[in-house]
Amino acid sequence: GVDRAGLRKGATGQTVKIFALNAPATVQASDLDLGPGVSVTGATVANNVITATVSVADAAVVGPRDIFISGAVKPAALVIYDKVDHIRVTPEWNLARTGGVNFPKMYAQFDAWGFMNGPDKKLNTPDDVKIDVVDATWSMEEYTATLDDDDIKFVGEVDPKTGTFTPNIEGPNELRSGQRNNIGDVWVVATYSGGGTPVKGRAHLLVSPPVYMRFD
């Protein structure tokens, strides 16, 4: 496996860690083959982890790449890309549970994946190329289901750096109309600005009551 899948076209000095089983005791740059247009300029190994420094030529063809090391191959382990055209948030919907007073909280984790549009240059079509997890800024938007919906004020908050959602306590909440519990649903939004023009993706989050009773 690898610690990162995406290698940017035209970039030098990129580092990728390759996790191997029964890796050689010593590894040289010439022992690694990442395909045409990708030069391995350095390689070290320790505890079955091979750390490679690579440069990708401007003329390299975008798309999946295999890794060859000492006769072993990992198909489509890497992706050569030129830019992140759009991002998708996973999972597409998620569930969290309020808690912290009488019941444990159930957190929710989101990730943002970068994609290239593929040969047809169109968004969300079968030829899109999945690149890698990208560093995104996280926020929330109201998922409007009723008139004057205000769930976003009460359900909890998402960490802007990690995409981890922390739900609010169970309730009832005296600050909410009808002293309702801190449940509801929102959009969790990821914004990626690494390619210049910001691109966004979002997922639906449902914040529900705790599990009051468990059946064994």
Side-chain angles (χ1 to χ4, degrees), residues 98 149 151 155 176 181-186 204-208:
T98 57
D149 209 346
D151 295 343
V155 294
R176 196 168 194 185
N181 292 335
N182 295 314
I183 62 174
D185 48 359
V186 294
H204 184 201
L205 170 65
L206 175 64
V207 183
S208 75

Side-chain angles (χ1 to χ4, degrees), residues 168-202:
N168 205 342
I169 61 174
E170 300 96 317
N173 192 334
E174 296 179 354
L175 300 177
R176 196 168 194 185
S177 60
Q179 295 190 1
R180 291 174 291 155
N181 292 335
N182 295 314
I183 62 174
D185 48 359
V186 294
W187 290 111
V188 173
V189 181
T191 303
Y192 173 71
S193 303
T197 303
V199 291
K200 291 185 177 184
R202 66 181 185 178

Side-chain angles (χ1 to χ4, degrees), residues 8-82:
R8 192 177 184 91
K9 181 178 177 179
T12 61
Q14 301 177 85
T15 300
V16 57
K17 290 184 178 181
I18 304 168
F19 304 98
L21 182 64
N22 297 325
T26 60
V27 172
Q28 297 180 354
S30 58
D31 296 328
L32 279 72
D33 183 0
L34 307 184
V38 183
S39 301
V40 181
T41 58
T44 60
V45 60
N47 299 320
N48 285 324
V49 179
I50 299 169
T51 302
T53 303
V54 302
S55 297
V56 183
D58 292 331
V61 177
V62 299
R65 292 298 182 90
D66 301 340
I67 295 178
F68 294 88
I69 305 173
S70 301
V73 59
K74 174 69 175 178
L78 299 171
V79 176
I80 306 301
Y81 72 100
D82 52 3

